Amino acid sequence: MALTDAEAEANMDAGDAEWEAREQLSDMGLARVYAVKILAHWLAGMERSSVTREIVQMVMGTLRQLVRGSGFGRSAVTQHCVLVAASSMLKIAGRGHLERAVGVADVQSLALVVQDATFEVRSSFLLDKLVPALASRRVHARFIPLVFLAAHEVEPGVLDHVRHAVEQRLSQFRPTPGSPSLVESSLPRLLHILAHHPDWDDAEPLRTLELFAHYVDFYISCVCSAQNVSLLFCLAAKLKSARSKVQGGQHTQRLYVLSELAQFLLREKSKAANWPVNVYPGELQLPDDLFEMVDGTDQMRESYLNPEFVALRSKTSGSGAKRTRTKPKRVAKPSKKSRGKQPQVDSDSDAMDEVSDN
């Protein structure tokens, strides 16, 4: 459930300890941080022939416990351990023979690290680890949607960095010449992550749609153009002929809501920019690790997007009035040390990071 600014401020003040640079941690704290790094690098450095199921389960189980424990109320040491664990998952995912050890649920967990309550954790993971790994194509394109989870970031400059990376680097990657770019094709994955986001609250549909529209708006602002709006519209619409494979498909109806939300926002953008939305001529496939196709006849006939949201959104769009922003509970205000400036974040460049990423 989303929090107001005052609630987020109160949680921050009563929750996590202030960020401390790694060299300021106690010897015992440093030992914990480096133990996580050594464990992860042990797995990442293994040859295919040496990797066993037991080793993967042991290492990934430790990393998952740390990453999924991110939130409020953590010590400075735990904050560093979360950052190291999340960064290590990316490193492991960048090893071809270990790539699938980082599963769908892990990607969902890493998406929440992008929204970690501690600014230094989320910004370092996003800007120092995730974006460079994507820009150098060290990790699979299934990690691209994570950058758009920064949509509600409160620190100036972070969104500009993400937008630049998407527009100047990630949007250039295409599987084959003339095919949709990897960023364009990531829209269904983004909507799938949002459908499983813990801030989704069926009891407050309007508030939820206001919150989640901002993620889609941020994606559209970074990716959408006159040349690809029809493609993106078709990708969003295709979700209504599919169901989620995750958790027994229990959040599939949320996908249909998000499908219609994305279509609505793409229409809104195309109307404002005077872009035509045409039938996309190509054949499109949804990621088969997340979706299975179903008969979409019934879903196509039914409307899932709350009409009150549509009316309110249309009213503010037509009047030019500034929309109020609903804030997610995951992202608190930046720490008092970092407000108004970009903090110095550990570069994680010690000798143990010299394991090759190739």
Side-chain angles (χ1 to χ4, degrees):
M1 182 174 170
L3 298 181
T4 65
D5 286 343
E7 289 168 334
E9 178 80 20
N11 270 355
M12 183 193 72
D13 291 340
D16 279 3
E18 284 285 346
W19 173 264
E20 296 179 17
R22 184 176 295 176
E23 59 269 19
Q24 295 175 326
L25 299 179
S26 67
D27 289 345
M28 185 64 71
L30 281 172
R32 287 180 56 194
V33 174
Y34 284 120
V36 177
K37 290 174 69 69
I38 291 170
L39 184 67
H41 286 185
W42 174 55
L43 173 59
M46 277 188 173
E47 298 292 334
R48 182 189 298 269
S49 59
S50 301
V51 176
T52 66
R53 180 184 297 271
E54 290 73 22
I55 291 174
V56 172
Q57 289 177 340
M58 184 268 290
V59 175
M60 290 303 300
T62 300
L63 299 181
R64 286 167 182 147
Q65 186 175 12
L66 287 166
V67 169
R68 294 174 187 176
S70 62
F72 292 103
R74 303 164 306 173
S75 69
V77 172
T78 303
Q79 294 168 14
H80 279 277
C81 287
V82 169
L83 175 57
V84 169
S87 303
S88 297
M89 280 192 175
L90 283 183
K91 183 181 288 289
I92 290 167
R95 303 296 189 263
H97 61 291
L98 294 171
E99 199 265 334
R100 286 297 164 181
V102 182
V104 172
D106 297 319
V107 175
Q108 192 76 34
S109 297
L110 291 175
L112 299 184
V113 178
V114 176
Q115 300 184 312
D116 192 271
T118 300
F119 171 72
E120 291 83 356
V121 173
R122 65 182 186 262
S123 65
S124 184
F125 176 69
L126 175 66
L127 304 184
D128 299 337
K129 302 297 181 180
L130 179 60
V131 168
L134 290 169
S136 60
R137 305 190 74 169
R138 295 199 307 269
V139 295
H140 191 274
R142 63 195 177 105
F143 293 93
I144 288 176
L146 274 59
V147 303
F148 300 106
L149 270 289
H152 288 280
E153 175 56 55
V154 295
E155 187 71 21
V158 172
L159 293 185
D160 289 340
H161 189 117
V162 171
R163 190 185 306 277
H164 178 81
V166 170
E167 294 175 350
Q168 301 300 318
R169 291 288 292 167
L170 304 185
S171 63
Q172 308 305 313
F173 299 151
R174 299 178 185 274
T176 57
S179 65
S181 73
L182 298 180
V183 174
E184 291 166 344
S185 300
S186 71
L187 178 58
R189 288 188 180 276
L190 172 62
L191 298 181
H192 191 275
I193 288 174
L194 295 180
H196 293 81
H197 195 288
D199 277 350
W200 188 285
D201 187 357
D202 290 317
E204 294 191 77
L206 267 183
R207 191 173 176 84
T208 295
L209 286 171
E210 289 167 1
L211 176 67
F212 283 77
H214 195 66
Y215 296 112
V216 183
D217 272 332
F218 181 51
Y219 173 89
I220 289 172
S221 73
C222 293
V223 180
C224 189
S225 67
Q227 290 71 40
N228 66 12
V229 64
S230 298
L231 163 66
L232 298 178
F233 191 89
C234 183
L235 281 170
K238 198 171 182 69
L239 290 181
K240 291 185 71 175
S241 297
R243 70 186 295 271
S244 173
K245 287 183 175 180
V246 177
Q247 297 177 350
Q250 64 174 323
H251 294 322
T252 293
Q253 184 152 324
R254 293 182 185 178
L255 279 174
Y256 300 157
V257 174
L258 287 163
S259 167
E260 293 191 3
L261 175 64
Q263 292 175 73
F264 173 78
L265 297 177
L266 285 164
R267 282 197 200 96
E268 189 177 74
K269 173 68 175 179
S270 62
K271 182 178 179 182
N274 199 27
W275 297 338
V277 179
N278 302 312
V279 175
Y280 183 71
E283 182 69 24
L284 298 173
Q285 301 294 327
L286 296 178
D288 60 9
D289 59 325
L290 299 180
F291 304 100
E292 59 183 355
M293 303 310 295
V294 297
D295 182 359
T297 304
D298 292 339
Q299 296 90 276
M300 291 300 181
R301 282 198 291 256
E302 188 170 346
S303 178
Y304 294 87
L305 188 58
N306 187 299
E308 189 176 351
F309 169 81
V310 173
L312 287 172
R313 179 88 182 198
S314 300
K315 182 178 179 181
T316 55
S317 296
S319 66
K322 186 176 180 180
R323 299 188 185 100
T324 57
R325 281 269 306 279
T326 301
K327 303 292 178 66
K329 67 179 180 180
R330 297 286 311 180
V331 180
K333 288 184 177 296
S335 68
K336 294 174 183 176
K337 293 179 182 177
S338 70
R339 289 176 191 169
K341 63 179 181 178
Q342 289 291 336
Q344 296 299 311
V345 180
D346 291 329
S347 65
D348 220 15
S349 60
D350 54 79
M352 284 186 292
D353 270 335
E354 293 178 2
V355 177
S356 171
D357 282 317
N358 296 322

